[in-house]
Amino acid sequence: MTSFITGLPKVELHLHIEGSLEPELMFALAERNKIAIPFNSPDEVRAAYQFHNLQSFLDIYYQGANVLIHEQDFYDLTWAYLLRCKADHVVHTEIFFDPQTHTERGIAFETVVNGIHRALEQGRKMLGISSQLIMCFLRHLDQESAFVTLNQALAHKDKIVGVGLDSSELGNPPEKFKAVFQQALAEGFLTVAHAGEEGPSENITHTLDLLGATRVDHGVRCVDDAVLVERLVQAQVPLTVCPLSNLKLKVFEDMKDHNIVDLLRKGLCVTINSDDPAYFGGYMTANFQAVADAHPMTQEEIAQFTLNAIQASFISVEEKQRLTRMTRDYLDNYQA
Ligand code: HPA
Ligand code: ZN
């Protein structure tokens, strides 16, 4: 099953580019930019990655992002992630970035978006990986700050397909951002949001009803509400699930307790994603493998995660058909 999983075409829909900052690059950028970091080696950084919940991760994650200063830094970060994508047979990726993490430190919005975008364009040309960019609002900040960020994004509509919502879910429910999401929709952005990761299932319902979200990031706590589960099945609302992230942040104690395969078999449009792979111990292939190790599945079931992600992605119908054919051909050839 390992070689089947490695070679399977994959589509990633939940990846924070700041969460792909490997300790080695963190060190290199700290040196290049003369930024002090409280670690002596990449191994020391890795040893500090012991999390007990979402907040304990976020504190370290925002600190790590401090080494990102220049456009070239954002380019290098994104390019390193795309090389990982290539190795993992990721053919399309939709990545999040958190402008406020950088603008709050005095880095210009343009610096961030242009560096990421330049690498994505290079990835399209040199690696054959297509991509979309989604800007997330930090939900621990107020809605006013989100509005400022939305206004900064208007000059970059050609590079940003949608807006999302991340950071501390507890205490920062979707209703706090209803107005700015309505404005984003009016400006033509698609919307997504993290919901039902640590927070209650009603955050998922409100994300759909108040934020106009076309997919839900994480969403694993939907199982607490049977009516919601039925709605997610009927409407085929995609959930971008992140198995290794959920394990590291103690959303589930053990991969055997994870509900993703149950949700797949119930007919939900669930997908597998890496979230913050430099912090959670694995990119796409590792996430697929971890799920398959804990939950025996057929090859068709494993491939279904890719087929679901293709349907859930923000690409054209023609492109969805092309990637679906590619995935079905891979499955057929592998089984022949
Ligand atoms: N949840 C919320 N905010 C985040 C995450 C996450 O998993 N990763 C990066 N920011
Ligand atoms: Zn996330």
Side-chain angles (χ1 to χ4, degrees):
M1 207 53 101
T2 303
S3 82
F4 175 79
I5 287 174
T6 303
L8 178 71
K10 300 175 191 74
V11 167
E12 173 134 80
L13 302 177
H14 186 155
L15 177 282
H16 303 263
I17 197 63
E18 295 90 348
S20 72
L21 177 61
E22 291 287 341
E24 286 75 15
L25 183 57
M26 189 190 294
F27 258 76
L29 293 178
E31 197 167 340
R32 194 158 98 188
N33 294 330
K34 308 276 177 278
I35 306 275
I37 52 175
F39 303 103
N40 292 309
S41 70
D43 282 345
E44 233 181 86
V45 179
R46 281 204 178 82
Y49 292 172
Q50 307 289 336
F51 313 119
H52 51 272
N53 58 18
L54 175 58
Q55 194 59 49
S56 63
F57 154 69
L58 290 171
D59 293 342
I60 284 193
Y61 162 79
Y62 294 131
Q63 185 189 317
N66 284 338
V67 301
L68 299 161
I69 307 286
H70 303 291
E71 190 198 296
Q72 187 64 38
D73 304 340
F74 291 94
Y75 176 91
D76 291 344
L77 172 70
T78 308
W79 185 250
Y81 163 67
L82 289 168
L83 293 178
R84 299 284 191 144
C85 284
K86 191 71 189 169
D88 280 8
H89 294 256
V90 173
V91 294
H92 175 72
T93 182
E94 300 188 354
I95 75 179
F96 296 130
F97 74 116
D98 290 341
Q100 289 152 300
T101 297
H102 314 296
T103 54
E104 292 249 311
R105 303 181 285 121
I107 311 293
F109 188 98
E110 284 68 26
T111 300
V112 181
V113 75
N114 289 342
I116 297 170
H117 184 257
R118 187 157 60 84
L120 294 179
E121 286 307 302
Q122 189 75 356
R124 204 181 307 274
K125 283 192 221 121
M126 307 278 292
L127 306 174
I129 298 171
S130 59
S131 53
Q132 300 275 15
L133 194 50
I134 299 168
M135 160 180 101
C136 282
F137 301 126
L138 297 181
R139 69 202 305 162
H140 65 274
L141 301 179
D142 60 23
Q143 181 167 244
E144 194 43 46
S145 175
F147 267 114
V148 170
T149 305
L150 178 60
N151 283 326
Q152 289 170 326
L154 296 181
H156 301 278
K157 272 190 184 172
D158 56 327
K159 309 184 194 83
I160 300 171
V161 69
V163 305
L165 187 63
D166 64 6
S167 190
S168 324
E169 186 181 3
L170 293 173
N172 299 293
E175 43 272 35
K176 178 176 162 186
F177 295 94
K178 180 175 176 206
V180 73
F181 269 72
Q182 291 305 318
Q183 184 67 34
L185 288 165
E187 290 287 354
F189 291 105
L190 294 165
T191 62
V192 300
H194 285 53
E197 178 187 18
E198 277 191 347
S201 59
E202 68 190 31
N203 280 1
I204 301 171
T205 304
H206 291 158
T207 286
L208 298 175
D209 293 339
L210 305 180
L211 307 186
T214 43
R215 55 185 197 228
V216 174
D217 299 312
H218 293 294
V220 291
R221 293 203 50 191
C222 66
V223 291
D224 298 338
D225 178 347
V227 173
L228 173 61
V229 169
E230 188 52 28
R231 173 181 180 183
L232 297 175
V233 172
Q234 287 308 322
Q236 284 294 288
V237 176
L239 304 185
T240 65
V241 180
C242 307
L244 287 174
S245 164
N246 293 157
L247 200 63
K248 283 280 184 186
L249 302 187
K250 314 274 189 225
V251 173
F252 297 95
E253 276 305 318
D254 192 293
M255 196 58 83
K256 286 193 168 30
D257 303 329
H258 203 294
N259 61 15
I260 185 167
V261 176
D262 255 6
L263 295 176
L264 181 79
R265 290 175 179 156
K266 280 196 172 89
L268 277 85
C269 183
V270 283
T271 65
I272 292 180
N273 308 273
S274 72
D275 208 4
D276 302 283
Y279 292 86
F280 300 147
Y283 289 76
M284 283 292 273
T285 297
N287 273 275
F288 271 77
Q289 193 65 53
V291 174
D293 286 346
H295 302 271
M297 282 179 283
T298 64
Q299 292 175 345
E300 283 81 359
E301 285 177 315
I302 296 171
Q304 190 62 43
F305 287 114
T306 291
L307 296 170
N308 286 351
I310 295 167
Q311 286 313 313
S313 69
F314 297 150
I315 57 180
S316 68
V317 173
E318 294 73 27
E319 199 49 19
K320 285 183 183 181
Q321 287 169 346
R322 187 180 75 80
L323 295 183
T324 298
R325 259 196 313 276
M326 179 195 290
T327 307
R328 292 203 188 283
D329 285 349
Y330 177 82
L331 186 60
D332 291 346
N333 290 335
Y334 204 91
Q335 294 181 336

